[in-house]
Amino acid sequence: MTAAVPGDGQAPGSGRVRLRLLTEGRPPREVSVPAGVSVFEAASWNGVAIDSTCGGHGTCRKCRVRVTPGPGGGNGAHGPDGPGGAGGGAAGADAAFPVSRLDPRAFTPEQLREGWRLACLAQAVSDLEVEVPALSTRPKAATVGVGRQVILRPAVQKRYVELAEPSLSDQVPDVERLLAALDDLEPTPDLHAVRAAGRVMRAADFRVTAVVVDDALIDVEPGDTSGSRYGLAVDLGTTTVVATLLDLSAGTPVAVRSMLNLQQPYGADVISRISATMLDPAALDRLRDAARETLDRLALEVCEEAGVSPGHVYEVALAGNATMVHLVLGVDPEPLGVAPFVTAVRALPVLLASDLGLRLHPRARAVVLPALGAYVGGDIVAGALATGMDRDRRLRLFVDVGTNCEIVLGGADRLLATAAPAGPAFEGAQIRCGMRASAGAIETVRLAPSVELGVIGDVAPAGLCGSGLVDAVAELLRVGLLDRSGRFVPEEEAVRLAPGLAARLTVIGGERVFVLAGDVYLSQRDVRELQFAKAAIATGWRLLLQEHGAGEDDIQQVLLAGSFGSYLSPASAVRIGLVPELALSRIVSAGNVAGEGAKLALLSVQERAGALALLEEIRYVELSDRPDFNDRFVDLLSFPGP
């Protein structure tokens, strides 16, 4: 980092500067930070999220902010090469705020003159006012998925009892009196329940409701509250978190909400977040707090939506990948990110909801679904549980498409699993005009023969999300403007093959692109990023097929899981070679099956036991040490032929 430069904007003798952070819809935030830190770090430390998918390493070019001098004036932000850093030093605003070597790739000359910079590369050396574009915290997400009917047998039970009052001839202790009235249950009293029992029983004339979770009496409530028992099912995703409030008496959902994981400023993928904790010892606490704030905010929102007191939520079931679980619990994730990739524990003991930062019933339990390993976590175990992978005799392929793509292959007789490093392209990262699946993102593309776009929110296109990226490439392959190698065809061939579209092939920044709408385009490099991602996934499931001793023709169903899989066109997935070439009716958008698995764990203790049993039924296949992985990967970079 650039050393602090003494000046008017620096607090005398303190080595600190003042930043005024402005975000639309929020009051200004004034903070004091060490001189020389990046604007990105300063904002993140103080709870102001700046969009980023690379974790502040300067590669995604999404952390766009506008900087202007604070009250102290002067050169407030330096590029990493110091004042007048590489590419900077122009007159006007450029002189006041030097341009880093990457800023010209992210902004137009006019934007640079207006003070727009990449926050991760702009270092604050004097007082600044920083305009931070509002981060969309509600991306489009799958909130439901393929599930199964189960016999309702939740761990949370309530019993209303009317007890005889004690007397000189009946001096049975309060808790024993209550336990004796619970004919069908034999719980052990929790200290919280012991403390509450006498006071509540007398205040309610000994008409009370016992609250039991598993084998523990956790509370005694006045009157008959037996009809009010709720549980919270959570899919803790790397990008999006989904929370569903369930009525455990009826077994039905009563409210569901989703939002962006507030850890996003630390990177779009788990490796970026693991790296953050390795580079900065304080990052683990910040990541833990961000995840807990996300969970707590969603929990309170679903309770408010359903009109349910948070105190009547007695159990939480959480499904998440191993990294997310480590981070939310404050467990060091470094062993997950370096060979031999070891998780701290596969199956956690039952926790309290407060261990996850949730403000529900003070003794509410939290069950974390078990992980198969470092890169096939509890979210995939939950998905396999929800889809009945271990119950169906058909050979099925389960693919959770994302930065780290988890794959399960098999049926009732045998199950194999692996993880493929697909990279962040499906999240819109490393894509020139990429963005998350939020308002303005192109999510569907059809070239028939003109360009037909589906845009989230029915607004003007602002960028391209993952499903739109796959559609765009698949359609360009279909009309012939992309060849099998992934290259745009020459101009004369484009005119011959698609005369109505050929004019959209042009050059921007020395790179051939296809213009989709306005300033939104698909570049040659974007196509290559998608090729890397789809080749990694295809290599994964093909190697599992080889391990299973089966062929593509033996697969009877493909399940596309997760939020991205829910919106991915099966036809486009087949056309680019992401999944086997099956009849489209046999390729199912399974949706948020991780959340569905968490629901099953709440609704049935038998299903919860089934999740643990899957740890022994699924065999993990490690790809990183296979000598044939790279050869297969290279072979699959090309797109399938006609």
Side-chain angles (χ1 to χ4, degrees):
M1 292 185 178
T2 305
V5 178
D8 293 337
Q10 186 175 317
S14 68
R16 302 181 72 83
V17 296
R18 291 180 290 274
L19 270 61
R20 191 166 189 259
L21 303 170
L22 307 175
T23 304
E24 183 180 352
R26 298 179 62 179
R29 183 85 177 270
E30 296 192 6
V31 300
S32 173
V33 298
V37 303
S38 72
V39 171
F40 182 87
E41 290 175 314
S44 296
W45 291 346
N46 289 281
V48 176
I50 296 177
D51 196 10
S52 171
T53 54
C54 70
H57 298 296
T59 58
C60 72
R61 299 195 289 277
K62 297 187 185 301
C63 58
R64 304 177 176 210
V65 297
R66 186 182 182 189
V67 290
T68 54
N75 290 355
H78 285 173
D81 302 301
D94 286 0
F97 303 105
V99 180
S100 78
R101 64 188 182 280
L102 294 180
D103 284 331
R105 302 183 189 179
F107 303 104
T108 65
E110 181 180 357
Q111 288 173 321
L112 291 173
R113 287 191 293 271
E114 292 173 349
W116 287 94
R117 299 291 184 270
L118 294 176
C120 65
L121 299 178
Q123 294 168 347
V125 295
S126 67
D127 292 357
L128 289 176
E129 189 165 274
V130 183
E131 181 182 327
V132 181
L135 178 64
S136 172
T137 60
R138 306 288 176 177
K140 188 171 183 178
T143 56
V144 296
V146 172
R148 297 184 286 108
Q149 296 291 323
V150 297
I151 297 174
L152 189 61
R153 193 171 295 170
V156 178
Q157 299 290 331
K158 278 189 164 185
R159 296 291 185 272
Y160 171 68
V161 293
E162 296 183 0
L163 305 172
E165 295 188 24
S167 64
L168 290 176
S169 60
D170 179 7
Q171 295 180 331
V172 174
D174 292 334
V175 173
E176 290 183 24
R177 184 180 302 275
L178 176 61
L179 294 177
L182 305 179
D183 298 331
D184 58 335
L185 300 172
E186 296 181 357
T188 300
D190 188 296
L191 179 58
H192 178 86
V194 173
R195 287 170 173 163
R199 171 178 48 80
V200 171
M201 290 164 70
R202 284 163 179 78
D205 295 327
F206 288 84
R207 295 179 175 87
V208 296
T209 299
V211 184
V212 177
V213 181
D214 285 323
D215 296 324
L217 173 69
I218 68 166
D219 207 354
V220 182
E221 297 175 345
D224 185 358
T225 64
S226 58
S228 182
R229 52 178 172 142
Y230 295 89
L232 185 71
V234 177
D235 170 21
L236 177 58
T238 308
T239 302
T240 308
V241 183
V242 180
T244 305
L245 186 66
L246 293 171
D247 181 342
L248 299 179
S249 297
T252 55
V254 293
V256 59
R257 297 296 292 268
S258 68
M259 68 178 288
L260 193 71
N261 189 326
L262 295 178
Q263 295 177 343
Q264 277 298 301
Y266 293 88
D269 56 87
V270 296
I271 295 300
S272 296
R273 298 184 201 176
I274 293 171
S275 298
T277 67
M278 295 168 66
L279 294 171
D280 179 5
L284 177 57
D285 286 346
R286 291 198 291 270
L287 283 160
R288 178 201 61 201
D289 293 345
R292 291 183 178 188
E293 182 182 348
T294 307
L295 296 180
D296 189 53
R297 192 181 298 182
L298 285 172
L300 297 180
E301 285 181 4
V302 292
C303 286
E304 182 178 2
E305 180 182 331
V308 171
S309 166
H312 283 171
V313 180
Y314 304 103
E315 191 170 46
V316 177
L318 182 143
N321 64 55
T323 302
M324 290 302 100
V325 170
H326 277 60
L327 291 176
V328 75
L329 293 175
V331 179
D332 180 13
E334 181 176 349
L336 300 173
V338 295
F341 313 111
V342 176
T343 182
V345 62
R346 292 202 302 169
L348 284 158
V350 175
L351 310 172
L352 292 178
S354 57
D355 293 327
L356 300 173
L358 292 166
R359 292 174 290 170
L360 304 172
H361 186 280
R363 301 301 294 173
R365 295 332 197 222
V367 175
V368 178
L369 274 82
L372 193 65
Y375 288 101
V376 178
D379 52 345
I380 304 307
V381 171
L385 181 72
T387 55
M389 289 290 290
D390 60 331
R391 298 164 179 253
D392 197 320
R393 295 199 172 278
R394 294 176 296 170
L395 184 67
R396 297 196 292 167
L397 177 64
F398 173 104
V399 183
D400 190 333
V401 184
T403 302
N404 179 61
C405 177
E406 298 95 347
I407 306 167
V408 182
L409 175 76
D413 58 336
R414 188 182 183 197
L415 287 169
L416 303 175
T418 193
F426 295 122
E427 303 288 351
Q430 311 301 335
I431 303 302
R432 296 289 192 199
C433 297
M435 64 181 291
R436 296 187 182 92
S438 55
I442 297 172
E443 61 175 341
T444 63
V445 177
R446 176 71 177 167
L447 307 180
S450 60
V451 177
E452 299 175 4
L453 305 176
V455 182
I456 297 174
D458 294 325
V459 297
L464 192 64
C465 68
S467 61
L469 171 66
V470 173
D471 264 8
V473 171
E475 285 292 282
L476 288 166
L477 285 167
R478 183 180 64 82
V479 300
L481 295 185
L482 276 177
D483 63 23
R484 284 192 61 207
S485 72
R487 293 186 178 90
F488 287 115
V489 299
E491 290 183 20
E492 58 275 13
E493 189 174 351
V495 171
R496 179 178 62 82
L497 292 170
L501 299 170
R504 290 177 176 266
L505 278 175
T506 185
V507 176
I508 296 179
E511 183 180 25
R512 293 195 77 195
V513 305
F514 181 84
V515 177
L516 292 165
D519 296 331
V520 183
Y521 57 84
L522 178 79
S523 74
Q524 185 68 73
R525 195 196 74 168
D526 298 339
V527 177
R528 180 60 63 177
E529 291 289 341
L530 181 62
Q531 286 178 276
F532 288 145
K534 75 94 180 176
I537 294 171
T539 301
W541 58 257
R542 286 173 185 269
L543 288 176
L544 284 190
L545 275 175
Q546 178 182 317
E547 194 77 18
H548 198 283
E552 285 187 52
D553 293 340
D554 297 319
I555 298 175
Q556 297 180 51
Q557 186 182 57
V558 173
L559 298 164
L560 295 173
S563 287
F564 180 73
S566 299
Y567 300 106
L568 179 63
S569 160
S572 294
V574 169
R575 186 168 288 122
I576 70 169
L578 182 68
V579 298
E581 189 174 353
L582 271 66
L584 296 184
S585 61
R586 290 160 61 188
I587 302 175
V588 178
S589 295
N592 183 14
V593 288
E596 294 298 326
K599 293 177 192 176
L600 293 184
L602 280 179
L603 296 176
S604 170
V605 291
Q606 289 181 328
E607 294 296 331
R608 190 177 303 177
L612 284 170
L614 283 171
L615 297 187
E616 306 305 321
E617 296 172 9
I618 302 175
R619 180 168 71 85
Y620 180 72
V621 178
E622 179 61 57
L623 298 182
S624 62
D625 60 351
R626 289 188 65 114
D628 53 348
F629 180 86
N630 285 338
D631 289 341
R632 288 287 190 97
F633 174 80
V634 171
D635 290 343
L636 290 168
L637 283 171
S638 296
F639 295 111

